[in-house]
Amino acid sequence: MLSGKKDLGKLKKSKREYSDTTTAYGSRYFNKSIPKYEMPKEGMPAQAAYQLIHDELNLDGNPALNLASFVTTWMEPEADKLMMETIDKNYVDNDEYPQTQKIEERVVNMLARLFNAPEECNSLGTAAIGSSEAIMLGLLAHKWKWRERRKAEGKSIDKPNIVMGADVHTVWEKFARYFDVELKLIPLQEDLYTITTEDVASEIDENTIAVGVVVGTTFTGQMDPVGGINELLLEIKKDKGWDIPIHVDGASGGFIAPFLYPDLEWDFRLEQVRSINVSGHKYGLVYPGVGWVIFKDKTDIPEDLIFNINYLGGNMSNYSLNFSKASNTIIAQYYNFIRLGFQGYKDIINNMMENARYMAGELEKTGIFEVINQELHFPLVTVKLKNTDYTVFQLSDKLREKGWIVPAYTLPKNADDIAVLRMVIKENFGRDMVDDFLDDINKACTSLESEEKKESTRDNPSLLY
Ligand SMILES: Cc1ncc(COP(=O)(O)O)c(C=O)c1O
């Protein structure tokens, strides 16, 4: 029997024995801190390492409640299986994995046709890590082509610029900074949130390497006027001889417009649209890690940007910013194409749109919110608060208490006094989820309202009478 201070002291010092048959939770690794700064001298059993990391990741948000990201959070079990089966294949080893390369080419072909590349064109493209890399590759090609043209004309190549609206994703600004191109960023206008053809007309000049347009902007899901900009550039080509290409950022919209708005001309049907990027991992419905850039014709990619490599066995051509990467997202993209077909994508996207419209309508009905992308073309709902004492930032925090991840932010320059909440509706966000979300957002508003009332009563007790 233990008694007295002396015996207790002895017990504390005695070395604890751990049983070999205990679970990870009974092991020596669960009563001390996980290594964080220095690689431990010795490792630990796989089960313990797995459990420690797995449990820590429980503190992350739940992807199914993440309305912030456009990125896919669910795929079919068969897609998961294929992805696990191909997780060990490095994309860049074309010679070792020729079938994977063939599959990539099939996806590129299907996308070129989906984007209505004219038959006489020899379209090319490549898988990228996401739209970010795809955009860089598209714009680099245009910068090189512009230089080739200028050199051939004996003109200066010192001052390339790129014209786009402030509604572009940050990656466009990154391109300009990283690759030393002057950024001509057109500020937004309140109540429009996209650029206009006139804006573009006043910015372009002989040094413009490309005009960037967005189909499905990150901020409000709207669309720049691609058709009008194409007309403008055709006129300029005729009048001044400047052949300025359009690169369309279809990160989100590239997988929506072809299915829902087949008659809308935003793609290779327009003469000056020479390259398009799309995120496979957004509405392409593949897990994170895949984007695509498609060039209308092989003449749109300068040859000296294509690297021929032979040290992986065989001769391979490569146009990318990085080298090794996973190939299983490419396989998963192909799986979706043949599994869903055109009609399958259309059905899913129609459901997303109906759920998004329903959410927008219900939010408007509360009288608290104003939907700022009233004409919903893409499945995202962007709202601002009409007249409340609390902000969208407080509301976003409040929703987090229930697990909902909803971003609150101010719009870009010239519309930056408008703060919004944005909800991206994905395929696995069904009608009941929308209703649960609406319920929680209403409760969050009521709670914030009463908190604000309490605050103002405390600050101004006369309000009590
Ligand atoms: C319009 C637009 N362009 C580019 C990107 C960057 O795409 P990715 O995340 O695929 O690199 C995004 C991301 O949300 C986007 O919305």
Side-chain angles (χ1 to χ4, degrees):
M1 201 173 108
L2 292 169
S3 67
K5 276 185 185 166
K6 233 178 171 178
D7 291 336
L8 271 175
K10 254 190 212 158
L11 182 72
K12 269 185 208 151
K13 274 180 208 145
S14 73
K15 205 162 173 252
R16 209 183 124 188
E17 301 263 314
Y18 292 89
S19 143
D20 286 345
T21 55
T22 184
T23 68
Y25 294 127
S27 72
R28 70 188 73 243
Y29 308 99
F30 271 74
N31 59 5
K32 47 176 102 66
S33 183
I34 189 169
K36 294 188 186 73
Y37 308 106
E38 212 173 289
M39 192 188 292
K41 278 202 179 65
E42 296 202 357
M44 61 177 79
Q47 196 200 8
Y50 167 81
Q51 206 63 50
L52 278 167
I53 299 172
H54 170 90
D55 291 355
E56 181 173 351
L57 290 175
N58 283 334
L59 293 172
D60 270 348
N62 177 350
L65 303 184
N66 183 357
L67 301 185
S69 170
F70 290 87
V71 173
T72 300
T73 52
W74 179 86
M75 288 191 78
E76 288 184 309
E78 289 78 6
D80 291 353
K81 193 168 166 218
L82 263 179
M83 288 187 81
M84 282 313 292
E85 284 169 11
T86 49
I87 202 164
D88 53 354
K89 290 188 182 173
N90 184 1
Y91 159 85
V92 86
D93 295 348
N94 295 173
D95 205 49
E96 286 81 352
Y97 308 127
Q99 285 315 116
T100 299
Q101 196 194 5
K102 278 188 193 157
I103 285 179
E104 181 195 13
E105 280 165 18
R106 289 179 209 163
V107 174
V108 167
N109 281 331
M110 288 184 187
L111 283 174
R113 283 175 175 78
L114 190 68
F115 299 157
N116 293 297
E119 265 188 25
E120 66 277 14
C121 286
N122 195 345
S123 301
L124 281 184
T126 182
I129 297 281
S131 274
S132 304
E133 188 195 2
I135 289 169
M136 301 263 178
L137 293 173
L139 301 183
L140 267 176
H142 296 311
K143 181 179 175 187
W144 250 247
K145 285 304 249 187
W146 168 83
R147 280 213 313 219
E148 272 176 17
R149 281 195 302 274
R150 299 281 293 176
K151 274 188 192 159
E153 291 164 5
K155 292 183 177 155
S156 148
I157 53 164
D158 294 344
K159 289 192 167 156
N161 69 57
I162 182 153
V163 174
M164 63 185 95
D167 54 343
V168 294
H169 188 268
T170 18
V171 65
W172 286 77
E173 295 169 45
K174 258 193 196 171
F175 165 81
R177 202 172 301 167
Y178 291 179
F179 294 101
D180 207 13
V181 172
E182 184 199 346
L183 176 67
K184 291 193 161 188
L185 197 67
I186 301 163
L188 296 189
Q189 297 172 33
E190 199 166 328
D191 293 332
L192 184 62
Y193 316 120
T194 60
I195 49 172
T196 64
T197 305
E198 294 70 41
D199 292 331
V200 174
S202 59
E203 291 296 339
I204 49 176
D205 59 34
E206 60 183 338
N207 291 315
T208 303
I209 63 162
V211 174
V213 300
V214 193
V215 171
T217 69
T218 319
F219 305 99
T220 61
Q222 287 163 297
M223 214 180 328
D224 287 329
V226 200
I229 295 171
N230 179 65
E231 289 296 311
L232 166 79
L233 296 179
L234 285 175
E235 268 170 42
I236 300 263
K237 186 155 73 170
K238 206 160 99 204
D239 292 352
K240 304 197 174 176
W242 307 339
D243 188 2
I244 304 175
I246 298 174
H247 176 97
V248 179
D249 180 352
S252 297
F255 268 118
I256 302 284
F259 301 104
L260 295 195
Y261 319 112
D263 297 330
L264 180 82
E265 298 203 342
W266 63 276
D267 51 17
F268 292 131
R269 281 168 286 186
L270 303 176
E271 190 170 321
Q272 293 308 104
V273 172
R274 307 302 307 182
S275 52
I276 299 175
N277 68 276
V278 65
S279 294
H281 54 208
K282 293 189 175 114
Y283 295 113
L285 308 177
V286 177
Y287 290 132
V290 68
W292 301 91
V293 58
I294 310 292
F295 292 90
K296 190 177 210 162
D297 191 75
K298 71 173 198 224
T299 53
D300 291 308
I301 313 185
E303 268 172 29
D304 51 348
L305 286 186
I306 302 194
F307 281 76
N308 286 306
I309 46 177
N310 60 10
Y311 38 82
L312 292 171
N315 237 327
M316 291 170 289
S317 54
N318 179 277
Y319 183 38
S320 63
L321 292 180
N322 69 306
F323 194 66
S324 301
K325 69 176 175 211
S327 54
N328 61 355
T329 47
I330 296 169
I331 309 287
Q333 185 77 76
Y334 186 56
Y335 168 82
N336 275 352
F337 281 9
I338 62 168
R339 154 79 177 113
L340 298 173
F342 189 90
Q343 190 57 41
Y345 268 99
K346 193 170 168 178
D347 289 341
I348 292 172
I349 293 164
N350 267 325
N351 277 351
M352 292 192 284
M353 284 305 299
E354 280 170 24
N355 287 333
R357 289 203 182 99
Y358 170 72
M359 179 190 280
E362 293 299 305
L363 286 173
E364 281 261 339
K365 273 191 215 159
T366 62
I368 302 171
F369 300 100
E370 181 184 328
V371 176
I372 70 164
N373 54 342
Q374 287 285 345
E375 271 194 58
L376 222 62
H377 293 299
F378 300 100
L380 71 156
V381 181
T382 312
V383 294
K384 63 179 180 183
L385 287 167
K386 273 185 175 166
N387 187 17
T388 56
D389 290 330
Y390 50 89
T391 65
V392 283
F393 303 97
Q394 286 169 290
L395 187 51
S396 170
D397 286 346
K398 196 86 198 156
L399 286 165
R400 196 71 192 235
E401 290 171 15
K402 279 286 204 167
W404 299 108
I405 304 168
V406 184
Y409 53 91
T410 52
L411 292 178
K413 222 168 153 194
N414 275 23
D416 48 3
D417 55 334
I418 301 172
V420 296
L421 275 186
R422 185 196 66 190
M423 283 71 66
V424 175
I425 309 301
K426 292 197 277 264
E427 64 174 325
N428 53 340
F429 202 73
R431 185 60 62 99
D432 277 335
M433 292 281 275
V434 178
D435 279 328
D436 288 340
F437 174 74
L438 290 168
D439 213 31
D440 283 337
I441 202 168
N442 274 323
K443 283 184 190 145
C445 290
T446 312
S447 158
L448 284 170
E449 210 169 294
S450 62
E451 278 169 30
E452 286 303 313
K453 260 199 202 120
K454 266 192 226 147
E455 283 277 312
S456 48
T457 322
R458 205 170 28 238
D459 295 347
N460 184 1
S462 67
L463 288 175
L464 284 172
Y465 305 105

